[in-house]
Amino acid sequence: MMKPIFQRAIPIIEKLEEAGYEAYFVGGAVRDLLIGREIADVDIATSATPIEMKAIFSKTVDVGIEHGTILILLKGEAYEVTTYRAESTYSDFRRPDEVRFIRHLKEDLQRRDFTMNSIAMDKNGELIDPFAGREAIKNREIKTVGSSEERFNEDALRMMRALRLKSQLGFLLEEGTYDALKKKVHLLQHVAVERKLVEFNKLLQGDYRVDALTLLQDSNLHHYLPMLSQKEKGLNQLVTYPLQSLSLLEIWVLLLKVFQLNEHEAKIGLKEWKMSSKDMKEILNLYQWFQKRLSTPFQATTIYQSGLSVAVSAEKLHQVYNHERVEYPDHLVEMYSKLAITSRKQLAVNGNDIITWSQQSAGPWLKELLAKVEEAIILGELQNNKEDIREWLFQWNQK
């Protein structure tokens, strides 16, 4: 019986067929169905052009209409539907100079990257597999459709995608595919860093990430990635750690550590990846706390300053980096739960109270004084109530 995620999309295929067009499930969803992996969403390919699809469906969104793709909205869900297409030359090694809409499924499947991704499935679950994708899956093999060199010339990012699939599936790269990858790896210099980052992040999260990172280096692909070129020693060290126990954020921090970067160098390196400001801030903050943890265990004051989630991640990284058994740091949770306050917002006083009591203008002194109040409360030297804090400040000023 077909999985519900496909069943819910069948009305789209049926409506296209009623109008005289072909339509099939394609791509990663079909591949993952055959492998037995969880399926996040389904894609549909059709002989109908975007204009013809928009005439059939009342609710659509133009997301890549120039390349034949629109979203069709059905019962609260959005489905990506793409016209069969053939592609011309790839002058920039990333995008086709011209996209031509076609009416034949096999020609559409022929332009795809790997044989496991070139399988189509009709609404009844019957497979169309002209390039032996099922055989590749059975053999646990990553193999390009047709000439590997041509596929990588067309879209150099496919080389990173091959290693990402290695990380996610654990499949072997077919010999000809891997030979072509090593030969064409220099073409990655033409690919936007942002696209490389998406694939690299996925690679870092796969169950077979250590194998993929080893291939990354063996193929010299790392020379065309920000921050990784000439970092063979660090990459060799990275793969000795149990990376499966770490989150993506934590792996990035460990990467900075094995590369022996100071905080300034780390910031420059992450900028080269063109990460979002939010991601950079989180990575650099955790890196700072991890460095501190390497020299000093967390105490009440430092766990208050870092926050529980950062402290837990820093502790995990400490365990991994020192090749210790990775265990959840329950002692930090207990320490955090015993804090009288967990943020400045919980203080019984604020800056205005202190300005009123001191009859001074606001300035840097105020932030420093609030920090001393926080520390005294965290250490149990002061109760978090207004009168006690006022008395404590009076006595502190007399010193």
Side-chain angles (χ1 to χ4, degrees), residues 187-243:
L187 296 178
L188 271 171
Q189 64 189 306
H190 301 291
V191 177
V193 173
E194 294 90 341
R195 303 302 299 272
K196 295 178 186 178
L197 178 60
V198 171
E199 294 296 332
F200 189 58
N201 276 339
K202 291 178 181 178
L203 184 155
L204 290 178
Q205 296 175 88
D207 289 339
Y208 303 89
R209 65 195 91 180
V210 169
D211 294 337
L213 285 167
T214 300
L215 275 184
L216 186 85
Q217 190 172 342
D218 291 347
S219 65
N220 288 322
L221 193 151
H222 66 293
H223 288 306
Y224 301 93
L225 300 180
M227 204 170 70
L228 271 61
S229 184
Q230 311 303 322
K231 293 293 195 302
E232 287 79 9
K233 183 178 178 181
L235 287 169
N236 286 335
Q237 184 180 350
L238 183 69
V239 297
T240 66
Y241 296 113
L243 301 180

Side-chain angles (χ1 to χ4, degrees), residues 86-100 150-151 153-155:
E87 296 167 347
S88 63
T89 55
Y90 290 66
S91 300
D92 64 358
F93 306 99
R94 180 66 192 96
R95 293 180 180 83
D97 298 331
E98 181 185 358
V99 171
R100 178 169 53 87
E150 287 182 16
R151 296 294 82 76
N153 273 332
E154 291 166 353
D155 183 353

Side-chain angles (χ1 to χ4, degrees), residues 280-298:
M280 277 185 55
K281 185 176 180 181
E282 288 182 358
I283 292 170
L284 292 171
N285 181 55
L286 178 55
Y287 188 41
Q288 183 181 56
W289 282 107
F290 171 45
Q291 299 271 50
K292 291 177 180 177
R293 174 60 189 92
L294 287 172
S295 58
T296 309
F298 278 97

Side-chain angles (χ1 to χ4, degrees), residues 56-233:
I56 298 168
F57 298 95
S58 59
K59 296 181 179 179
T60 64
V61 179
D62 296 349
V63 291
I65 194 165
E66 69 278 7
H67 295 112
T69 302
I70 66 171
L71 287 182
I72 294 177
L73 308 180
L74 177 68
K75 295 183 178 179
E77 294 191 56
Y79 297 92
E80 199 168 279
V81 186
T82 303
T83 304
Y84 299 160
R85 68 192 193 198
E87 296 167 347
S88 63
T89 55
Y90 290 66
S91 300
D92 64 358
F93 306 99
R94 180 66 192 96
R95 293 180 180 83
D97 298 331
E98 181 185 358
V99 171
R100 178 169 53 87
F101 298 146
I102 56 178
R103 299 292 187 181
H104 302 288
L105 174 64
K106 183 178 178 180
E107 196 176 346
D108 178 78
L109 296 177
Q110 188 173 334
R111 70 173 175 81
R112 296 175 184 268
D113 50 10
F114 304 106
T115 58
M116 68 175 76
N117 294 332
S118 66
I119 308 170
M121 183 174 74
D122 69 16
K123 65 182 180 183
N124 299 313
E126 293 294 320
L127 298 175
I128 297 89
D129 182 21
F131 303 105
R134 280 177 293 181
E135 182 180 350
I137 290 171
K138 181 181 178 182
N139 295 334
R140 297 179 60 81
E141 190 174 60
I142 299 167
K143 182 179 181 180
T144 56
V145 176
S147 167
S148 298
E149 290 192 25
E150 287 182 16
R151 296 294 82 76
F152 295 147
N153 273 332
E154 291 166 353
D155 183 353
L157 190 66
R158 285 170 172 166
M159 291 181 278
M160 285 205 69
R161 199 173 296 138
L163 296 192
R164 183 252 291 175
L165 287 169
K166 170 68 177 178
S167 176
Q168 293 175 327
L169 304 176
F171 289 10
L172 294 174
L173 265 71
E174 182 263 339
E175 185 178 354
T177 299
Y178 187 52
D179 287 344
L181 188 154
K182 289 187 289 185
K183 184 177 179 180
K184 295 291 183 177
V185 69
H186 64 280
L187 296 178
L188 271 171
Q189 64 189 306
H190 301 291
V191 177
V193 173
E194 294 90 341
R195 303 302 299 272
K196 295 178 186 178
L197 178 60
V198 171
E199 294 296 332
F200 189 58
N201 276 339
K202 291 178 181 178
L203 184 155
L204 290 178
Q205 296 175 88
D207 289 339
Y208 303 89
R209 65 195 91 180
V210 169
D211 294 337
L213 285 167
T214 300
L215 275 184
L216 186 85
Q217 190 172 342
D218 291 347
S219 65
N220 288 322
L221 193 151
H222 66 293
H223 288 306
Y224 301 93
L225 300 180
M227 204 170 70
L228 271 61
S229 184
Q230 311 303 322
K231 293 293 195 302
E232 287 79 9
K233 183 178 178 181

